[in-house]
Amino acid sequence: MPVFKAPRGTRDILPEEACYWDWVTSVSKNLCRNYGYGRIETPMFEATGLFSRGVGEGTDIVEKEMYTFEDRGGSSLTLRPEGTAPVCRAYIEHGMASLPQPVRVYYLAPAFRYERPQAGRMRQHHQFGCEVIGDASALIDAEVISLAWQFFEKLGLRKLTLKLNSIGCDKCRPGYIETLKAYYEPRIEKLCDDCAVRMKKNPLRLLDCKESACQYMADNAPRSADCLCPECLEHFNSLKGYLDLAGLEYDVTHRLVRGLDYYTRTVFEIQPESTGSQSTIGGGGRYDRLIEQIGGRPTPAIGFAAGIERIILNLKDQNVCVPGTGSARILIAHTGEEARSEAFSVYSALQCSGIGAIIGAEGKSLKAQLRQANNLDMKMVVIIGPEEMEEEAVVVRDLETGTQKKIDRRLLADALSAFRINISG
Ligand code: HAM
């Protein structure tokens, strides 16, 4: 028989990690409720053209990373590599322009990119994303950036940096690109092979090359923020003013351009202390032309998305203690047939009161059940044997302190609180 494994770049989410996923999803949902965002779910796959038009033909995503296939009817479909273009497609398809603007939505969804897998870089990853469609003001940019920042703060992540830039609009960006090309042209010999291609196809991307020789050139390259038209400059200055008012610190990073073609004006990323290409935990920006590019009326919009796998890596790195919501912390050990039925009654009563518990394995000695409790990292063991049956009692053992006490069975719930266990995790 062949040995099947999860496909390269994908992972199973096992029970021991589930509390991190629950934590990230519950924080994102609560936050979105407070900010007035409604949940949206789009299909796992879309017409390929949506991404080639939306994300951009010259991007790494479209050129190298899409999972594209022809279905049995001959249509070219692509597994969602990102969530923004599908949300915009849904906005157009469902006539959301007739709703009060802007429309605020969020999603929690898997995304697929054929990348070279490594820690924090998956072929299937999951994103929490927010999009605000139908408002061009810098105030909305500040709202989305604050939401993103608060999301990471509420998760318990610390030592993050907010990187901010403006890459202008259709009016001022072409001039900036010419300035950039004029700077790079005399240096073309020194560029890496990828940058030589970028120079022709997508000069903006020269700025975020990771090769050390190119980095020096990029550091000293002309800055988009110095080439903005008056409207873009005004927008960028207002945004910075709002962020200052909100007390949000940011680094204006002129090399921040992002890897998707739809961005206009504001772009931002949030990075933890560790550096490296896989360190960005969330990023986004304004995309005022995207809806028009995929067949809608010109509609301004902005959003961001965060990678849940990268968030969890950082939660673990920073030793953030996440609630193990609802997880069982008590094992009910039993010896003898009669005690087994009694253990089940105690177990049912505890579950009815919302106290998470599990029953010790059947047919095992008390010692084996205690070992099981230790292995499962339980806090408490409730022991019921023939003696306890006779006395209508239970023994409650605190596994952390090693102390134990025999108590009347009816007083069990009180006793558990007296032991001060955090039964809800
Ligand atoms: P993105 O920067 O391509 O933006 O992805 C958003 C986040 O998803 C990244 O910051 C990263 O945390 C995570 N991520 C991306 N690729 C991978 C991967 N291969 N493995 C693990 N995590 C990954 C977007 O997708 C835009 N749609 C964001 C946006 C929304 N812009 C406007 N609205």
Side-chain angles (χ1 to χ4, degrees):
M1 278 291 274
V3 179
F4 294 109
K5 293 195 161 178
R8 203 163 123 73
T10 70
R11 292 178 63 226
D12 298 310
I13 300 165
L14 299 174
E16 57 264 29
E17 215 181 45
C19 58
Y20 287 98
W21 288 83
D22 291 346
W23 178 233
V24 176
T25 48
S26 79
V27 168
S28 59
K29 286 178 185 174
N30 285 335
L31 196 66
C32 285
R33 206 170 300 129
N34 282 349
Y35 273 78
Y37 287 61
R39 181 149 181 186
I40 188 163
E41 286 286 343
T42 60
M44 200 89 84
F45 53 83
E46 299 272 354
T48 301
L50 175 68
F51 300 113
S52 43
R53 287 185 75 88
V55 175
E57 293 281 5
T59 58
D60 282 354
I61 293 182
V62 171
E63 267 192 351
K64 307 182 206 157
E65 297 170 1
M66 294 206 303
Y67 280 90
T68 297
F69 59 98
E70 202 171 282
D71 72 5
R72 287 168 193 271
S75 306
S76 177
L77 299 170
T78 292
L79 295 185
R80 167 181 52 217
E82 63 96 48
T84 309
V87 167
C88 291
R89 192 264 310 134
Y91 176 91
I92 301 168
E93 185 170 336
H94 300 287
M96 291 192 212
S98 60
L99 299 175
Q101 302 294 296
V103 170
R104 293 177 167 88
V105 290
Y106 77 96
Y107 46 89
L108 286 153
F112 307 87
R113 298 182 187 177
Y114 188 80
E115 296 201 72
R116 201 152 36 84
Q118 51 181 270
R121 195 203 270 163
M122 316 281 300
R123 289 185 175 169
Q124 176 182 317
H125 71 278
H126 294 75
Q127 293 191 351
F128 159 56
C130 290
E131 314 291 347
V132 184
I133 306 180
D135 193 321
S137 69
L139 190 66
I140 296 292
D141 300 29
E143 169 187 311
V144 170
I145 294 174
S146 305
L147 189 160
W149 188 261
Q150 277 215 14
F151 169 61
F152 295 119
E153 286 230 307
K154 283 194 188 300
L155 285 172
L157 290 174
R158 296 291 174 262
K159 296 184 189 153
L160 303 177
T161 312
L162 168 60
K163 311 246 177 203
L164 184 69
N165 195 16
S166 173
I167 53 169
C169 66
D170 282 356
K171 221 164 95 185
C172 50
R173 199 183 311 161
Y176 171 61
I177 300 231
E178 285 314 309
T179 312
L180 201 59
K181 278 173 72 185
Y183 165 82
Y184 273 102
E185 234 127 52
R187 298 168 173 85
I188 202 154
E189 300 293 307
K190 295 186 194 138
L191 291 174
C192 72
D193 293 349
D194 282 346
C195 277
V197 178
R198 287 183 188 124
M199 180 80 178
K200 291 201 188 84
K201 281 193 169 169
N202 199 345
L204 261 192
R205 299 281 297 163
L206 287 163
L207 294 173
D208 75 352
C209 181
K210 306 290 178 293
E211 291 291 325
S212 51
C214 300
Q215 297 223 4
Y216 176 76
M217 276 182 271
D219 281 339
N220 294 295
R223 301 164 174 232
S224 57
D226 295 335
C227 301
L228 299 176
C229 61
E231 293 80 5
C232 286
L233 185 62
E234 155 78 23
H235 187 96
F236 196 37
N237 286 338
S238 318
L239 168 61
K240 289 190 283 184
Y242 289 127
L243 295 178
D244 292 339
L245 276 177
L248 257 179
E249 284 179 24
Y250 50 85
D251 279 353
V252 175
T253 308
H254 84 280
R255 288 183 50 193
L256 178 66
V257 291
R258 310 263 307 133
L260 302 100
D261 274 358
Y262 48 61
Y263 291 113
T264 46
R265 292 190 169 168
T266 309
V267 285
F268 66 97
E269 278 185 359
I270 291 166
Q271 293 180 357
E273 235 178 7
S274 63
T275 47
S277 55
Q278 266 44 260
S279 64
T280 301
I281 49 173
R286 190 158 267 293
Y287 49 92
D288 291 343
R289 300 289 317 282
L290 175 57
I291 296 200
E292 197 180 342
Q293 272 157 9
I294 59 167
R297 290 167 175 273
T299 312
I302 179 164
F304 97 102
I308 300 182
E309 285 80 358
R310 287 190 196 175
I311 290 173
I312 292 176
L313 281 176
N314 280 279
L315 287 170
K316 289 180 177 173
D317 266 8
Q318 295 189 14
N319 287 322
V320 178
C321 195
V322 307
T325 352
S327 63
R329 313 304 288 277
I330 301 167
L331 183 134
I332 304 168
H334 48 90
T335 51
E337 210 162 298
E338 242 189 305
R340 193 189 322 141
S341 308
E342 184 53 32
F344 186 71
S345 307
V346 169
Y347 163 82
S348 307
L350 289 181
Q351 292 290 6
C352 285
S353 338
I355 301 177
I358 63 165
I359 301 196
E362 196 178 323
K364 298 271 182 208
S365 66
L366 180 60
K367 205 168 153 197
Q369 292 180 69
L370 290 174
R371 207 178 311 120
Q372 186 192 7
N374 270 320
N375 290 342
L376 292 172
D377 207 19
M378 296 282 143
K379 289 213 161 199
M380 198 72 72
V381 179
V382 173
I383 303 167
I384 311 173
E387 197 179 302
E388 286 76 28
M389 285 302 294
E390 220 159 81
E391 296 170 14
E392 297 197 354
V394 293
V395 169
V396 179
R397 181 188 289 207
D398 184 328
L399 289 180
E400 274 171 5
T401 60
T403 53
Q404 68 175 47
K405 210 171 167 186
K406 189 179 274 183
I407 54 167
D408 187 313
R409 204 181 290 160
R410 285 160 303 187
L411 302 178
L412 179 60
D414 288 348
L416 290 177
S417 20
F419 268 97
R420 286 184 223 281
I421 52 168
N422 181 3
I423 41 195
S424 62

